[in-house]
Every structure is written in C-alpha cells, then in structure tokens.
Amino acid sequence: MKEQPKKKSPEVWAVGGGKGGVGKSIISVLLSFWLAKKNKETVLVDLDLGGANIHTLMGIKSPARTLNDFIIRKYNSLEEISIYTEVDNLRLLCGASEILSMANPQFAQKVKIIQNIFNLDADYVVIDLGAGTSFNVLDFFMAAHKQIVVLTPQPVSIQNAYGFVRNTVYRKLSRLVSRKASLVAMVKETMDPKNDLKIRTINELLQNISNESSEEDAKALRKEIANIQPVLITNMTNEVNEKNAGRIIKTVSERYLMINPINLGGVAYDKQIYSMVTDMVPLTKLDQSSEAFMNLFEITGRIMEL
Amino acid sequence: MNETYEKQDSVIDRIVDGSLEISSLKEYENLLAIFPDEPNLYRYYGDLLASRKDMDHASTAYNKASGLFVNNGMTLQAIVAKILEWSLNKPSHTEGKKFHSSLRDDQFQETPLQSFFAGMSYPELITIMLRMVRVRVPAEKSIIKKGDPGIELFFVVSGKLKEITYEMENQDSDSTFVNHLIANDILGEIYPFEKEIKSSSDVLALTQVELVKITKPVLKAVCHKYPKIEFLIGSLFNSPIDKSRKRSWRKVRKSRRHELPTQVKLVIFENSPQNDKLEIGGLTKDLSVGGACIDIGVKTWAGAAEDLAGKSVKLIINLPNYEKELNILGNIKWGRTVKQDQIENIIIGIQFKDMPNHQIEALNLYCNGSEAEQNLLWSLWDSLVKK
C-alpha cells in the first residue's frame, strides 16, 4: 500500500460521565457522525472496556477486529484494526467486552492505547469511555483535548456526573503530587468532604498546600487545575428546565473545585433513538427531523469552536 | 443561538452587571443592612454618593469597599475602589503604604493578576494607580475590533465580555476561537512593547462592563522608570494561554454571601388588626446569616414592591442537613420590581433578626459544611430542574 503523508495529530474528544445509561455511547456516535459530515476524518473509539457496544449502535453485530487484537499484538497499529463505516470519513475502533482482562488493562497497555490514539491518522478521535470513575476511565478522560461529560436531568445522574468531575480533579491532583508523600496524604484525606482538616474546597486545599509545603507547589497545582474544563451535555431532556442540569454541575464545580466547566445545554429525548437501539438500526440513519439529532449537530459545532 | 453567558439571579450580581439600577441612597442603605460585608454594594453606593456630590460619605464608602475587596482577595477591585477614594480624599504616606502592604499578603498572590500587583513596590504601585483610567462600557458595545492597533491594556473590573480571536493568516471562519472574559481578565495586545501588534480579536461587552486601561506609551514610560514593571507585565502575558485562548485567571473569591439558589417559603405579616398574613414561595441566591434577597415572582403581591418594605416576615427554609424547617424572623428592608428577559419579578430584601445559635449553625453548615457540596447540588436541582 502506498504510504500516505502523515496528517497532524488528531484532536481527541473523550466522552464520560460516571453513570451508566445516560447515553454516552449514543452521544459519542452522533458527535462522530456530525464531525464526519463536516468532512473531518474521524475515528470513533470504543473504550468502554468492560461493555463495548458502539459497534452494535452502528449496526455491526460482530466486528472483525477489536482493541483486544491490538493489545495482544495480533495487529501492530490501531489503523489496522479500524473499520470503515457506511458514513464517509468515519471509522470505528471497536472494543472487546468478551475479554475479561480488557476491563482492567495494565498500566503499560493503557499507555500504549493512549499513545496510539494520539497517533491516529485523523482529524478527530472521539472516545466513548463507558461508565464509572475508575482510574483508567479518568486517565483516558484527562488525556483528551476535549473532555465531555454526559448527564441526564435526574438527580442521581447529576450527582454521579458531579462525582465524576470531582474525581477527575482529585485524580489529577494525586498524579501531580505523587512524588511528595506529605501532599499525597493531604490530597487523599481531603477527597473525603468530611475530612478532619475541614478542607471543603480545592481552593482551601491549595491554600493549605501553600502553607504546609510551598507556595510554588500550590501555584503550579493551581495552573494545572485551571486547565481542566469539562464540557457538559444534558441528554434526554423533556422540559425546558431540564436543560439546566448542566448549570448545576457548572455552579458547584466553580465553587468547590475551582474549575469552570462549559455547559452546552441539552439534547432532547427522542423516542426514535430508543426504537433504533432496540431494533439495532444504525444510529447514523437517524431521521434528520429528529430534534436530538439537530441538537447534536449544533453541539458538535460548538465543541469544535472551543 | 442566544449568548451563553449565565443570567444573574443574585441581586448583587445584577447591580454589578447593570441589569438592576439602584438610584436611591435609602435603597442602598437598606441593602447594606442586609449585606453589611458586601464590597460591591459599598462600591456602587459610593458611586451614587459621589454623583450626588456627597464626597465625604462617598470616600468612606469607597474606603469600606476597598477593605472588603482586599479581604476577599479581589485585588483589582480593591485598587479601583482605592483610586476612587483617593481622588476624593488624598491619602497620607502611611495610608498609602498600609494599602500597599495589604495587597502583598501571601494569601493574595494566587492568580497572575494578584501576583502582578503584589510584585510592585509602593512607588511602582502608586505610579500605576495614578495612570489607570476607568472606562464603563454598556452591553453590546464593541471594545476592540480585529485589526485595531494594540495600544491599550485593559483590566476587567466587572462584567462579561466575548472575545473572538481569528487566526491572522487565515480568514476561514473555522479558525476562530471564542472566549468569554470576566472580572480579572486582561485584554489588549500591547506586549512585547517593541512590536507593533494589531489585534487578532474582536471583543464585545455582553453586559455592562467596567475596565481600567493604561495606554502603551504611558506604560512604556513607566517601565522605563521602573524596569521591574515591565518584567511583571511580561509575566502576565506569559501566563498560560493555550491554543484555544482559555484563561486560567479565575478570580479567587472568599465566600461572604452564600450564593446557594434555595427555594424558600415566606409568611409576610400585614400588621393589621386582623393579623392578616400572606404566604408565598420564593427563590433566593443571596443568603447570608444577616439576611437574604428573595425573588417572589410577580403575581404574589398586587401592590407596589416598595410597599412591602417595613413588614415583618418569617422565612421558612427546608435544609437538607436539618431535621426541621428553619424558621427565621426578619423585616423586609427593601422591595423592587425587576425586569429580566421581558419578565417582571418582585425581589425583596430581608434583614434577619437575631437568630439562636443552632439556627446560625444550621445555616452555616448548609452553606459551608461538609455536606455543602451535596446540599448545593440538591438545592440547585430543586430550583433549576425540578418540576
């Protein structure tokens, strides 16, 4: 095969959110669809390592190649395991939920996956992270250029989404201070909101670090934390006020975590999507009269502008 | 699509962004009785007093505002209030030095802008303060246009702006970055001084905006006399701004008002022989141990909002961390009809009477305690999402 000149590194979007069932996979598929429709070479990666299902949403029953084939070195690059889809400019990297070990990749495997994702020959890579706030999920999330959190207007989802964002911040802090035992202990203790140090906010934590360790340490951490800027999408909204769910995360995050998430509003609940998922009709065939479909068209454009 | 900046629910924030105009000294005094530690209120009270030529009281208000801004880590706002105070009442050398010292407290060197001012010596700070020019820009007015020569450095004191940055080599609309600027951000491409830089951005005021600016020639002259200021400016401009022009200079504000949107119930006593009372619901985003401002909607009171002032009231709050409802007695000190998004609402300000300790503790815990994050999530869900 003639070697094509390598394009620049892709912009990577990671889609997470903590709770299962909020529609992360569907949002991932539709964001990728719209990027491809905007003539951007796009790769959609299913990193829901314990429950890969993106291929099902795309109408593929049994993918010929999966991430596991890459991990076990059956294939040497992610390019080789990518699958072209019916949508021009859109390829898919399928996960492999039948392999138990994939649910908990080792550190080296995780690094390998991340490095290779950033080397994909594409304009954009969208990663569906799956549910939960494991270190693996958080590390993949933090590695991305655009960090997208999906939630629904239900209180439990809002709580989980905030928990996800909070864990992201603390995970980042933990990694940044990993070489200083005293700071590691302090960060770990303050993860519990009821800690004995009575530290309730990231700002208070950094002030404590400034007092107990050094001002330079606190300043450096402050800069890093400020770079965390998740994008919030509220899925399955029925009423106008339900679109405010993202505002809740934003307000609490600004106050307690010293970060400034971007709230991109809501995606309407769409019965058509439910039917298509049930009947295994590819989501990319969604009717363009669908409000949810057009919500995501707009949201895709706005994320691109950020 | 509508502009995405957050509309303000807080009375104080509405005063700052210009959407709520207070033109009566009495109203300010009533609000200050409710929020005695709110620096923005003192600042705007000072502005009104100065406009009425009551210079002594204006100077006192600015002095109070400046002190409170310093306590809250709002360095730029403290400097502006101090400039206004000193324009009315020239300071002594001791007063000037004391102000300078207060800005250099270690805990107020957390953001690049705080470090910028704290890094200056006393004469350097005074020199810069004397050359700052205050500018007020109404909403939707352009401040900088793409292609404008970079000849002014602006510091954002209050308000919200939108910055659209274009890639200079490429007119393609895909190569724009949109950034929202708020208090303590800076704008104006004036550094390095030796370069003639044209603006690569359009900057538009989304709300009423207050800025202070210094022109490039003035700044160059100051830096010639005080080279360290140029070093500090270099550090400001070298603070991390990534490809998408995000700024990491969020203001550091210590909590003074508890800005939890909270649903409340009110019982307003009519003070009539029949002891009539009016029971209504409302939403507050300005809740403190001393008082609260509450939006009670528009259909709950037939008369003028101002007629509510003077009435006794019982505020009932259901706190997630408190077994019983919290019943707080107070007096309505202030009432206004306010328009937002074509909808009129009545907002009242209540000054609380002395509360028993367990109530104060419950309120403080609600706002600041270990469950405060969860409390805030629930409170916001209650007010913003729940049917």
Side-chain angles (χ1 to χ4, degrees):
Chain A
M1 182 192 281
K2 186 177 175 183
E3 204 165 308
Q4 300 292 331
K6 177 85 169 67
K7 291 183 185 177
K8 63 182 180 182
S9 292
E11 182 173 289
V12 178
W13 297 6
V15 182
K19 191 174 183 320
V22 297
K24 290 185 290 303
S25 298
I26 292 172
I27 298 281
S28 300
V29 167
L30 295 176
L31 286 174
S32 307
F33 172 83
W34 282 120
L35 283 168
K37 282 296 180 190
K38 287 173 185 282
N39 287 324
K40 304 296 179 187
E41 288 287 336
T42 305
V43 178
L44 173 56
V45 181
D46 191 345
L47 268 190
D48 187 348
L49 300 175
N53 58 6
I54 291 274
H55 54 278
T56 312
L57 295 174
M58 303 282 286
I60 301 169
K61 281 187 183 164
S62 219
R65 302 176 291 280
T66 71
L67 267 174
N68 190 64
D69 295 322
F70 171 70
I71 291 294
I72 63 171
R73 300 186 191 183
K74 195 172 168 186
Y75 293 91
N76 292 324
S77 72
L78 291 179
E79 304 285 356
E80 289 177 275
I81 60 164
S82 66
I83 296 172
Y84 284 90
T85 69
E86 290 178 342
V87 180
D88 286 341
N89 305 315
L90 180 59
R91 286 180 285 153
L92 178 60
L93 283 179
C94 300
S97 50
E98 67 274 11
I99 308 293
L100 196 61
S101 61
M102 276 297 294
N104 291 295
Q106 292 170 5
F107 178 74
Q109 291 172 329
K110 188 164 67 179
V111 170
K112 183 179 175 183
I113 293 172
I114 292 175
Q115 283 175 346
N116 278 270
I117 282 174
F118 279 79
N119 279 330
L120 278 166
D121 191 7
D123 296 313
Y124 288 88
V125 173
V126 177
I127 305 175
D128 176 21
L129 287 175
T133 57
S134 68
F135 285 170
N136 290 326
V137 169
L138 295 177
D139 290 344
F140 284 129
F141 187 70
M142 282 193 292
H145 298 110
K146 303 278 168 68
Q147 299 154 349
I148 300 163
V149 175
V150 179
L151 59 148
T152 66
Q154 284 69 42
V156 177
S157 170
I158 294 168
Q159 274 187 310
N160 273 277
Y162 178 72
F164 182 86
V165 172
R166 190 176 190 274
N167 283 347
T168 300
V169 173
Y170 276 94
R171 174 67 178 157
K172 177 129 193 185
L173 277 172
S174 300
R175 292 185 64 183
L176 288 168
V177 304
S178 58
R179 291 188 183 175
K180 293 198 175 182
S182 59
L183 295 186
V184 167
M186 193 189 298
V187 169
K188 195 172 171 187
E189 185 167 357
T190 58
M191 280 189 71
D192 178 1
K194 298 179 189 176
N195 61 82
D196 291 336
L197 295 172
K198 293 201 180 349
I199 289 175
R200 307 291 176 231
T201 69
I202 293 291
N203 187 40
E204 287 171 9
L205 170 61
L206 294 178
Q207 279 174 358
N208 215 51
I209 289 174
S210 182
N211 295 336
E212 302 288 328
S213 174
S214 82
E215 208 179 297
E216 279 68 39
D217 281 345
K219 271 187 182 168
L221 291 173
R222 202 175 287 280
K223 276 185 190 175
E224 291 290 337
I225 294 303
N227 286 332
I228 301 174
Q229 194 167 32
V231 172
L232 307 171
I233 300 175
T234 305
N235 194 21
M236 295 195 269
T237 61
N238 277 305
E239 316 269 344
V240 168
N241 52 308
E242 289 182 346
K243 294 180 188 179
N244 286 329
R247 269 180 75 183
I248 297 175
I249 308 292
K250 181 176 163 67
T251 302
V252 184
S253 298
E254 283 173 353
R255 184 167 173 151
Y256 285 93
L257 305 176
M258 279 188 70
I259 63 171
N260 188 22
I262 300 170
N263 182 26
L264 289 190
V267 175
Y269 175 76
D270 191 336
K271 275 188 199 167
Q272 194 182 348
I273 291 178
Y274 177 80
S275 304
M276 289 172 83
V277 170
T278 306
D279 298 337
M280 219 175 134
V281 175
L283 280 179
T284 49
K285 292 196 186 305
L286 194 59
D287 192 318
Q288 295 208 11
S289 66
S290 155
E291 191 183 343
F293 203 41
M294 299 319 292
N295 288 153
L296 278 160
F297 168 72
E298 191 178 339
I299 285 172
T300 304
R302 289 174 68 191
I303 298 175
M304 289 170 81
E305 276 182 14
L306 293 173
Chain B
M1 180 152 218
N2 286 339
E3 197 50 72
T4 55
Y5 74 89
E6 291 286 312
K7 291 280 195 288
Q8 299 299 341
D9 302 315
S10 152
V11 163
I12 308 299
D13 291 339
R14 289 194 220 197
I15 292 172
V16 172
D17 77 11
S19 57
L20 175 59
E21 200 179 318
I22 308 285
S23 52
S24 145
L25 293 173
K26 187 68 187 158
E27 277 191 272
Y28 270 114
E29 285 154 19
N30 288 335
L31 283 168
L32 284 165
I34 300 167
F35 303 114
D37 296 325
E38 174 53 59
N40 278 304
L41 273 180
Y42 280 103
R43 163 64 209 276
Y44 284 84
Y45 181 45
D47 286 350
L48 185 61
L49 285 163
S51 73
R52 303 273 171 95
K53 308 293 182 203
D54 185 347
M55 301 311 186
D56 283 340
H57 287 120
S59 173
T60 304
Y62 288 140
N63 175 272
K64 183 81 177 171
S66 182
L68 288 169
F69 277 131
V70 168
N71 288 345
N72 287 317
M74 297 168 76
T75 305
L76 175 64
Q77 291 73 21
I79 286 173
V80 172
K82 194 54 77 176
I83 289 172
L84 289 165
E85 179 198 341
W86 288 345
S87 69
L88 301 176
N89 217 345
K90 203 170 168 186
S92 66
H93 185 67
T94 309
E95 284 166 344
K97 293 274 280 183
K98 191 176 168 191
F99 177 66
H100 172 253
S101 280
S102 69
L103 298 183
R104 301 191 103 192
D105 194 321
D106 276 348
Q107 61 182 316
F108 298 138
Q109 296 191 42
E110 292 155 336
T111 67
L113 203 57
Q114 284 173 331
S115 298
F116 172 69
F117 289 115
M120 294 182 197
S121 66
Y122 173 57
E124 287 165 351
L125 178 68
I126 297 302
T127 303
I128 287 287
M129 285 173 72
L130 285 172
R131 282 149 183 81
M132 281 178 162
V133 175
R134 281 177 53 239
V135 179
R136 266 234 162 94
V137 180
E140 296 178 30
K141 189 156 192 293
S142 171
I143 297 167
I144 295 177
K145 284 200 169 73
K146 179 175 159 311
D148 282 352
I151 54 170
E152 288 171 319
L153 174 64
F154 295 93
F155 299 87
V156 182
V157 180
S158 65
K160 291 183 173 64
L161 307 94
K162 181 178 176 181
E163 179 189 47
I164 306 171
T165 303
Y166 305 91
E167 291 286 353
M168 291 301 282
E169 300 80 22
N170 190 351
Q171 296 299 314
D172 188 337
S173 63
D174 282 342
S175 302
T176 59
F177 303 108
V178 177
N179 196 19
H180 286 98
L181 306 176
I182 59 171
N184 304 313
D185 277 325
I186 68 167
L187 45 142
E189 292 173 53
I190 58 127
Y191 190 79
F193 291 142
E194 58 273 12
K195 280 191 178 176
E196 299 285 328
I197 308 171
K198 287 197 193 305
S199 175
S200 53
S201 308
D202 289 332
V203 182
L204 176 76
L206 294 176
T207 66
Q208 173 180 277
V209 170
E210 184 179 9
L211 307 157
V212 285
K213 67 174 184 180
I214 306 180
T215 64
K216 187 171 174 179
V218 166
L219 207 45
K220 280 173 74 171
V222 169
C223 292
H224 183 71
K225 187 174 178 186
Y226 298 110
K228 194 174 103 186
I229 293 183
E230 183 168 353
F231 170 76
L232 291 170
I233 288 174
S235 299
L236 251 191
F237 276 81
N238 289 330
S239 287
I241 298 177
D242 67 15
K243 183 184 165 188
S244 60
R245 314 288 289 186
K246 294 187 194 108
R247 309 238 183 219
S248 57
W249 307 342
R250 296 300 155 209
K251 61 186 168 209
V252 175
R253 179 194 289 205
K254 296 207 172 99
S255 172
R256 53 185 186 282
R257 269 177 304 118
H258 308 299
E259 296 166 40
L260 285 166
T262 308
Q263 296 278 13
V264 298
K265 284 185 278 193
L266 289 159
V267 179
I268 300 176
F269 300 99
E270 295 276 16
N271 298 328
S272 67
Q274 295 80 19
N275 263 339
D276 294 329
K277 40 188 187 185
L278 175 67
E279 295 188 20
I280 51 178
L283 180 73
T284 175
K285 208 186 164 193
D286 298 289
L287 181 64
S288 74
V289 174
C293 277
I294 300 166
D295 186 334
I296 62 171
V298 68
K299 293 180 180 163
T300 51
W301 175 253
E306 292 77 6
D307 293 342
L308 284 164
K311 294 190 188 302
S312 302
V313 64
K314 181 169 74 173
L315 184 69
I316 304 165
I317 314 176
N318 212 337
L319 301 181
N321 61 328
Y322 200 64
E323 284 168 6
K324 301 177 254 192
E325 286 178 331
L326 208 60
N327 291 287
I328 305 174
L329 298 175
N331 290 314
I332 300 176
K333 299 286 286 183
W334 175 82
R336 272 285 289 267
T337 303
V338 172
K339 211 176 198 177
Q340 191 172 39
D341 293 332
Q342 311 305 320
I343 298 170
E344 281 189 344
N345 284 320
I346 294 176
I347 300 183
I348 57 172
I350 300 173
Q351 184 181 22
F352 296 154
K353 293 183 179 167
D354 285 339
M355 276 190 270
N357 285 338
H358 68 270
Q359 286 192 336
I360 296 174
E361 200 181 308
L363 208 52
N364 270 328
L365 259 180
Y366 174 56
C367 301
N368 295 318
S370 61
E371 290 166 0
E373 273 170 294
Q374 293 299 315
N375 287 341
L376 185 51
L377 285 171
W378 282 112
S379 177
L380 286 166
W381 182 78
D382 221 26
S383 58
L384 295 175
V385 177
K386 188 178 168 186
K387 287 177 198 171

